[in-house]
Amino acid sequence: MTVPLSILDLAPIAPGESVAQSFANSVALAQTAERSGYRRVWYAEHHNMPTIASSAPSVLIGHVASQTSTIRLGAGGIMLPNHAPLTIAEQFGTLASLHPGRIDLGLGRAPGSDQTTMRALRRDPGSADSFPEDVLELQAYLCGESRIAGVQAVPGAVDVPLYILGSSMFGAQLAAAYGLPYAFASHFAPDLLHDAVAFYRNEFTPSAQLAEPHVIAGINVVAADSSEHAQRQFAVTRRARVRSLIARGPAAPEYTDEQIDIFLTTPNGRQIANMMRYAAVGDPAEVRAGLDAFAAEAQADELILAHQSPTVADRLRSVELAAGALVAA
């Protein structure tokens, strides 16, 4: 079972690396994805995270779009309660005017960070409650049919397809009701994947944008020339994920790899490891088998891959090998 492949890029900032280098890496990743036949690259809105540079997806999308030619680029996603719908319509209307037919807009309702950062964003704690209405307001601006008399998005009335992102039943319900594509964050929140996708497919209502349900499912990927090399890379990434969750702040202890591996055998450690349980890791044949099995299990129409190799060179190689494995099979 072969489905289209896309990529989620968090613009990671490696230890000792500058933000500018992170953005250069994102350009290289998108260019490699374009050459390798991926459908799209998405960038996720995160704030106050020292290892993630994708805090302003619309700016990053514009930068990468200017250095690529055909691949679709988008937000995966914009955390809409952090923003006025008009502002996002203007930003993505601008992008779509500059790069016609290449811009996507995925929408989520989480803050993209912690509660303190949410306050710094001037976000009302109850703003997520209006997410369904905000999606409709944004959609109307992009269609040139404003829901607020006398207000229009300029640039607006452009072709920017919307996607609902989620890791719970809420997103599935909204995407089904609005007739929008649904992207499930199974690469880090896998538990409700099957229930959410089943509900979305069963309850989907066709819309002007979409006649049939379309499911995008996230999966972690490390493809390497040998299975052993891939497994070593994935172990490094998994330890880094654990460290980011249990050792926060300037006074946080520095755990050794051995301590992290021991922690992973505890109930709390296994719970964190479970966040990355959907992963295709290995040589090209193993990765192809893993992707095919996951696509079937998730009933996915498209997979969005979070390439988890710790270095940019290995990440670019993973991008090439994963795509090549599907083409060659």
Side-chain angles (χ1 to χ4, degrees):
M1 175 182 180
T2 301
V3 299
L5 300 183
S6 298
I7 292 177
L8 178 66
D9 181 9
L10 298 183
I13 306 170
E17 187 176 78
S18 68
V19 171
Q21 183 59 53
S22 170
F23 293 148
N25 294 344
S26 287
V27 169
L29 184 110
Q31 291 171 339
T32 302
E34 186 171 76
R35 291 194 302 270
S36 301
Y38 286 79
R39 174 174 287 184
R40 66 185 99 239
V41 180
W42 280 359
Y43 306 92
E45 178 186 347
H46 289 284
H47 300 282
N48 195 31
M49 295 186 179
T51 60
I52 295 177
S54 56
S55 57
S58 59
V59 180
L60 183 54
I61 290 166
H63 176 64
V64 177
S66 69
Q67 299 183 68
T68 51
S69 303
T70 58
I71 194 165
R72 297 191 68 90
L73 301 165
I78 290 291
M79 301 299 105
L80 190 55
N82 292 343
H83 312 275
L86 177 61
T87 299
I88 298 305
E90 291 169 340
Q91 290 177 5
F92 280 79
T94 299
L95 287 168
S97 298
L98 291 169
H99 308 284
R102 296 182 58 203
I103 303 301
D104 301 328
L105 178 49
L107 302 169
R109 65 169 184 155
S113 191
D114 54 60
Q115 297 298 311
T116 302
T117 306
M118 186 178 77
R119 290 194 294 273
L121 289 165
R122 305 294 192 269
R123 173 173 164 166
D124 184 325
S127 58
D129 297 340
S130 64
F131 180 67
E133 293 76 21
D134 289 346
V135 171
L136 292 177
E137 182 181 338
L138 172 57
Q139 186 177 48
Y141 287 132
L142 293 172
C143 293
E145 302 171 354
S146 175
R147 296 166 67 91
I148 300 178
V151 177
Q152 60 179 324
V154 182
V158 291
D159 177 24
V160 181
L162 301 184
Y163 298 75
I164 299 297
L165 279 57
S167 58
S168 69
M169 297 304 296
F170 179 88
Q173 293 163 357
L174 192 68
Y178 287 1
L180 295 175
Y182 180 49
F184 193 90
S186 36
H187 61 293
F188 76 89
D191 292 342
L192 291 177
L193 171 64
H194 298 120
D195 290 343
V197 169
F199 181 93
Y200 169 71
R201 288 195 173 279
N202 290 334
E203 301 298 325
F204 179 84
T205 302
S207 68
Q209 177 178 326
L210 194 64
E212 301 288 340
H214 186 84
V215 172
I216 303 175
I219 181 171
N220 300 289
V221 172
V222 177
D225 291 290
S226 73
S227 180
E228 294 76 13
H229 188 201
Q231 292 294 341
R232 287 196 298 271
Q233 291 180 48
F234 189 63
V236 171
T237 297
R238 185 167 52 195
R239 292 183 188 117
R241 174 72 61 88
V242 172
R243 284 190 180 93
S244 72
L245 294 174
I246 67 173
R248 297 182 176 182
E254 295 185 7
Y255 294 106
T256 66
D257 288 351
E258 291 75 15
Q259 289 172 318
I260 294 294
D261 289 343
I262 292 171
F263 175 75
L264 282 166
T265 67
T266 68
N268 286 340
R270 288 193 294 270
Q271 184 176 5
I272 293 175
N274 178 65
M275 294 170 64
M276 300 181 71
R277 80 167 182 260
Y278 287 127
V281 179
D283 61 28
E286 291 170 320
V287 167
R288 178 194 163 84
L291 293 178
D292 282 346
F294 175 70
E297 178 183 346
Q299 300 182 62
D301 302 295
E302 180 178 341
L303 298 182
I304 190 158
L305 313 187
H307 286 276
Q308 297 288 2
S309 298
T311 70
V312 64
D314 285 335
R315 199 152 57 245
L316 297 179
R317 183 63 174 153
S318 181
V319 167
E320 293 172 338
L321 289 174
L326 296 189
V327 171

